[in-house]
Amino acid sequence: MFRRSLPRLLQLSTRTLPPNSPATPRTLVVLHGLLGSSQNFLSPTKSILKELGPEWSAVLLDIRGHGTSPPGSPCTILDAASDVHSTLTSLSISPTAVIGHSLGGKIALQYLSISPSPPLKTWSLDSFPLPLPRPPPIPGDNSVASILSAVSTCPRTFSSKSDLIKTLTEDHLLQPSIAMWMTTNLKRFETGGFEFTFDVETCNNLYDSFTVEDLTDVLRDSQEDVTLLKAERNEVWEGIEEERLTGGNERVKVRTLEDSGHWVHVDNPKRLVEMICEDLKSIP
């Protein structure tokens, strides 16, 4: 049972695009997934802004315990969304649209439910809004559970990036591509060597919350536009009727990104950007 008391709010690290730009009429907020950082969606966000034009800017956040944002546990999806609200409020930002991938997608939906000035558009990218029981980690299956188990049990420091790759591929049987991606989550000590940029305890807390939270009530009650984007090759969506997700709310659309697995911004970035821009351009 996850607590519902008032969360301890954290000020999150932000990255603004274009850098040092003056305030624009419309702002896009972007939330990354578990074990990631704002760096993950930098390229597609730049493409989105290029297509939308100069009246748009973007703010990419590092959620708690990730990137250069502070850790904080115990914590839930609600805590993470409250961080987003508090941080944006401190910056006098009321987002026009919010995009979140995976864990960030569920945080985006929770933010929609608590914001006094909810975004006009919310995109949840391959983020299952229903409870999703945490599976046991199976070495070599490259699931989120297995990746999180690997980083939770492997050493916290590494002599080199190749040291991390060797540990993850040989000891935990992760794919080399996953291990290479994990090296983007390392920071260098001044004295040499590396450590993870994310806080493992915070990540485990957020993942546990992700697996038990049911945010379909947010979808059914939303007065603003929401798009649930399913990755075509993600089997978790199979057999789930749209009505179960949306409750028939016409403000909520369920769409599919073809030729894509869970990493939508890597597998089919061109079509992803096109779909998002088509929707955001419809804002009066």
Side-chain angles (χ1 to χ4, degrees):
M1 180 68 67
F2 284 91
R3 59 190 174 85
R4 290 294 183 180
S5 57
L6 290 175
R8 179 172 66 90
L9 302 180
L10 301 178
Q11 185 71 16
L12 304 178
S13 296
T14 62
R15 181 196 300 257
T16 302
L17 292 177
N20 304 313
S21 63
T24 56
R26 294 177 172 176
T27 304
L28 171 66
V29 167
V30 183
L31 305 173
H32 62 82
L34 190 72
L35 303 177
S37 72
S38 60
Q39 179 72 26
N40 296 150
F41 268 77
L42 196 57
S43 179
T45 302
K46 288 179 178 178
S47 297
I48 290 170
L49 293 181
K50 182 178 180 180
E51 180 66 25
L52 293 179
E55 69 173 2
W56 282 84
S57 60
V59 177
L60 299 89
L61 303 177
D62 286 335
I63 63 176
R64 66 163 58 198
H66 292 73
T68 56
S69 286
S73 58
C75 60
T76 66
I77 296 293
L78 175 59
D79 295 341
S82 299
D83 293 340
V84 172
H85 172 61
S86 176
T87 299
L88 295 178
T89 299
S90 73
L91 298 172
S92 299
I93 293 173
S94 181
T96 311
V98 176
I99 298 172
H101 173 243
S102 195
L103 172 67
K106 222 160 190 176
I107 294 172
L109 293 182
Q110 188 76 79
Y111 172 78
L112 175 65
S113 74
I114 65 174
S115 174
S117 300
L120 300 178
K121 302 280 189 178
T122 298
W123 276 70
S124 179
L125 309 181
D126 207 44
S127 181
F128 198 60
L130 291 163
L132 185 67
R134 183 171 183 167
I138 301 174
D141 72 350
N142 297 291
S143 66
V144 173
S146 293
I147 297 170
L148 189 53
S149 174
V151 300
S152 298
T153 55
C154 71
R156 294 290 188 269
T157 61
F158 304 90
S159 59
S160 64
K161 292 183 177 181
S162 59
D163 184 26
L164 171 61
I165 293 172
K166 181 179 180 181
T167 297
L168 294 179
T169 56
E170 295 185 5
D171 297 347
H172 299 277
L173 305 181
L174 296 181
Q175 288 182 353
S177 60
I178 297 293
M180 282 290 294
W181 170 64
M182 290 305 300
T183 65
T184 65
N185 291 307
L186 291 177
K187 60 182 177 182
R188 185 188 296 272
F189 292 117
E190 290 185 3
T191 55
F194 297 85
E195 67 175 348
F196 288 125
T197 57
F198 51 74
D199 178 71
V200 172
E201 183 178 358
T202 302
C203 292
N204 273 290
N205 273 222
L206 289 173
Y207 184 57
D208 284 340
S209 179
F210 179 91
T211 63
V212 300
E213 295 290 353
D214 184 345
L215 295 184
T216 53
D217 58 332
V218 176
L219 299 172
R220 293 166 180 164
D221 296 341
S222 178
Q223 300 299 307
E224 308 296 344
D225 291 345
V226 179
T227 300
L228 288 182
L229 187 67
K230 305 186 296 184
E232 184 179 40
R233 298 198 297 268
N234 190 347
E235 297 177 356
V236 73
W237 299 98
E238 291 183 3
I240 304 297
E241 298 292 334
E242 185 172 323
E243 175 74 18
R244 184 181 175 191
L245 301 174
T246 69
N249 186 350
E250 294 183 355
R251 303 303 295 264
V252 181
K253 306 299 182 186
V254 181
R255 304 182 65 183
T256 299
L257 182 64
E258 298 82 6
D259 301 320
S260 178
H262 180 62
W263 310 105
V264 293
H265 55 300
V266 175
D267 292 341
N268 196 350
K270 183 175 184 294
R271 181 56 184 152
L272 174 66
V273 169
E274 289 175 350
M275 294 173 75
I276 292 173
C277 288
E278 288 168 4
D279 187 44
L280 298 190
K281 285 180 178 180
S282 71
I283 299 174

